[in-house]
Amino acid sequence: MHSPRRNRAAVFEQLPFALVMLLVAVAGVRIWQYHWRQGAAIIGGALLVAAILRAVLPGVRAGLLAIRGRPVDVLSYAGLGVLILFLAFTITDGPFGT
C-alpha cells in the first residue's frame, strides 16, 4: 500500500495534464454550442499550453504530457497548436465571435 504522501505526489504530477484537459473540455462545450471557431482556437491554445508546460517541467512532473522525449513533445504540441490556431483564424464562413 502506498503512503498518503506518495499518493498526493502522484496526483500533483497529473495537474498539468488536467489543466490541458480542462481547456479541451471548455473547447468542447463551445463547439457543442455551435461556436466551433472559438472551440478550435481554445484547443489550439490548450496545445500551446501543453507545449509550454512540457518545456518547463521536468519529465517526472509533466505527468501524462510526457510521451516521448522533451524536444519531440514540445515540437509536436506547439506545431499542432499553431496549425489548429491557423485554421481557426483563417477559415471564413461566419464571424469568429459568434
Side-chain angles (χ1 to χ4, degrees):
M1 196 166 176
H2 299 289
S3 69
R5 186 178 197 165
R6 188 170 182 186
N7 288 338
R8 262 183 271 138
V11 168
F12 284 120
E13 286 174 6
Q14 301 311 323
L15 284 179
F17 182 73
L19 172 65
V20 172
M21 291 310 295
L22 177 65
L23 289 170
V24 171
V26 169
V29 169
R30 293 305 291 158
I31 292 168
W32 183 66
Q33 295 171 335
Y34 298 103
H35 299 287
W36 67 269
R37 292 182 76 195
Q38 288 178 0
I42 294 170
I43 289 173
L47 284 164
L48 292 178
V49 168
I52 292 168
L53 290 172
R54 182 63 177 113
V56 299
L57 293 173
V60 176
R61 311 241 322 113
L64 291 173
L65 292 179
I67 300 171
R68 303 261 181 208
R70 182 178 289 164
V72 173
D73 286 345
V74 171
L75 286 173
S76 298
Y77 290 139
L80 202 56
V82 167
L83 179 65
I84 290 173
L85 281 173
F86 175 77
L87 291 173
F89 287 122
T90 58
I91 293 178
T92 58
D93 203 13
F96 182 74
T98 61

